[in-house]
């Protein structure tokens, strides 16, 4: 049997049973009249082989305790990471805030300057970062 | 040139400075945590939240939370 003929004959039972129309084999128009007995034999041998393959390795049911343990471990790691990052952020923030407030108190002109800089530079940085993320 | 009667930053009582610092810190920590949860540049939002109030929160709600809820 030619390759194209075989593909057509595989699709035939599916189509008869109202199978999906978008099968790749549907693009073939040439109906050479494959025999249904041939198809049934192919399906039967396929099923037999698949059953044999299944019997080689029994289906494993995942252990619930193992899964729960994995989940707990993952959650613990995520929590630890969050705590570490938050601590670092708060430390940086306290330092920066102290510096900024003392700067504003001693050099009041810096307050409007910082505000203007923040209003113009942060949206620009955000835009660039978003563009960079979009390109990835 | 500041006039003699104009309020100066030096005139602010210590309680006001502490209140301001707490407000900014709270805003920036919230921005940092929420942006981290949504994977939207947490450090940038957090640091911006330290400099101004309440513009970063308003912009964040407008460009991060609103589109996120629409999805």
């Amino acid at each position: 049997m030619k390759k194209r003929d075989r593909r057509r004959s595989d699709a035939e039972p599916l189509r008869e049973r109202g199978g999906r129309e978008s099968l790749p084999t549907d693009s073939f128009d040439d109906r050479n009249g494959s025999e249904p007995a041939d198809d049934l034999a192919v399906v039967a041998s396929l099923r037999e082989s698949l059953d044999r393959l299944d019997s080689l390795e029994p289906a494993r049911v995942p252990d619930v305790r193992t899964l729960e343990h994995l989940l707990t471990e993952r959650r613990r790691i995520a929590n630890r990471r969050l705590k570490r990052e938050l601590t670092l952020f708060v430390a940086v923030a306290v330092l920066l805030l102290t510096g900024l407030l003392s700067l504003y108190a001693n050099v009041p002109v810096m307050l409007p300057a910082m505000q203007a800089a923040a209003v113009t530079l942060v949206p620009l940085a955000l835009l660039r970062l978003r563009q960079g993320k979009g390109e990835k | 040139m500041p006039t003699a009667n104009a309020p100066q930053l030096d005139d602010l009582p210590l309680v006001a400075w502490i209140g301001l610092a707490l407000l900014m810190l709270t805003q920036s920590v919230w921005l940092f945590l929420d942006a981290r949860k949504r994977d939207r540049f947490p450090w940038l939002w957090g640091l911006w939240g330290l400099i101004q109030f309440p513009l970063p929160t308003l912009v964040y709600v407008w460009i991060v939370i609103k589109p996120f809820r629409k999805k």
Side-chain angles (χ1 to χ4, degrees):
Chain A
M1 199 187 282
K2 282 182 188 172
K3 196 176 178 185
R4 279 173 63 173
D5 291 345
R6 199 181 309 139
R7 290 171 87 182
R8 255 206 51 68
S9 66
D10 287 348
E12 206 63 53
L14 256 179
R15 198 174 294 150
E16 282 166 10
R17 278 177 279 152
R20 290 192 317 168
E21 289 296 315
S22 59
L23 280 168
T25 49
D26 284 359
S27 55
F28 295 104
D29 293 327
D30 50 339
R31 290 173 181 267
N32 293 335
S34 63
E35 292 177 27
D38 229 18
D39 299 338
L40 288 174
V42 170
V43 170
S45 95
L46 257 177
R47 196 162 288 161
E48 193 187 324
S49 306
L50 286 173
D51 285 345
R52 215 179 311 139
L53 198 67
D54 279 344
S55 67
L56 279 179
E57 191 155 334
R60 280 191 206 139
V61 181
D63 184 25
V64 180
R65 287 182 87 180
T66 317
L67 285 178
E68 276 177 355
H69 178 71
L70 278 174
L71 207 66
T72 317
E73 185 70 16
R74 203 179 162 82
R75 214 173 285 155
R76 199 173 59 83
I77 291 170
N79 270 340
R80 205 168 52 190
R81 218 178 117 200
L82 171 69
K83 270 183 200 164
R84 203 186 321 140
E85 274 182 42
L86 191 61
T87 312
L88 182 66
F89 178 76
V90 170
V92 171
V94 167
L95 279 176
L96 199 69
L97 204 57
T98 313
L100 276 176
L101 291 182
S102 56
L103 183 74
Y104 295 157
N106 293 316
V107 193
V109 154
M110 285 307 286
L111 178 60
M114 281 297 287
Q115 301 300 307
V119 165
T120 49
L121 293 179
V122 175
L124 277 178
L126 265 175
L127 206 66
R128 282 204 73 164
L129 282 172
R130 284 181 85 171
Q131 278 173 351
K133 214 174 187 182
E135 281 168 12
K136 280 180 189 173
Chain B
M1 226 167 132
T3 57
N5 292 333
Q8 297 289 306
L9 281 175
D10 299 346
D11 301 338
L12 271 180
L14 186 66
V15 181
W17 283 110
I18 292 171
L20 262 177
L22 282 178
L23 188 74
M24 304 293 230
L25 198 63
T26 309
Q27 175 186 247
S28 75
V29 167
W30 178 76
L31 283 173
F32 176 79
L33 287 177
D34 202 82
R36 189 180 177 277
K37 192 172 74 184
R38 295 170 205 268
D39 195 20
R40 295 286 158 88
F41 320 115
W43 279 88
L44 183 79
W45 285 108
L47 291 180
W48 191 18
L50 276 179
I51 300 172
Q52 291 179 318
F53 180 86
L55 191 66
T57 305
L58 296 177
V59 174
Y60 184 77
V61 169
W62 184 44
I63 71 170
V64 176
I65 294 182
K66 266 193 173 178
F68 197 83
R69 281 192 183 153
K70 273 184 191 168
K71 279 181 187 172

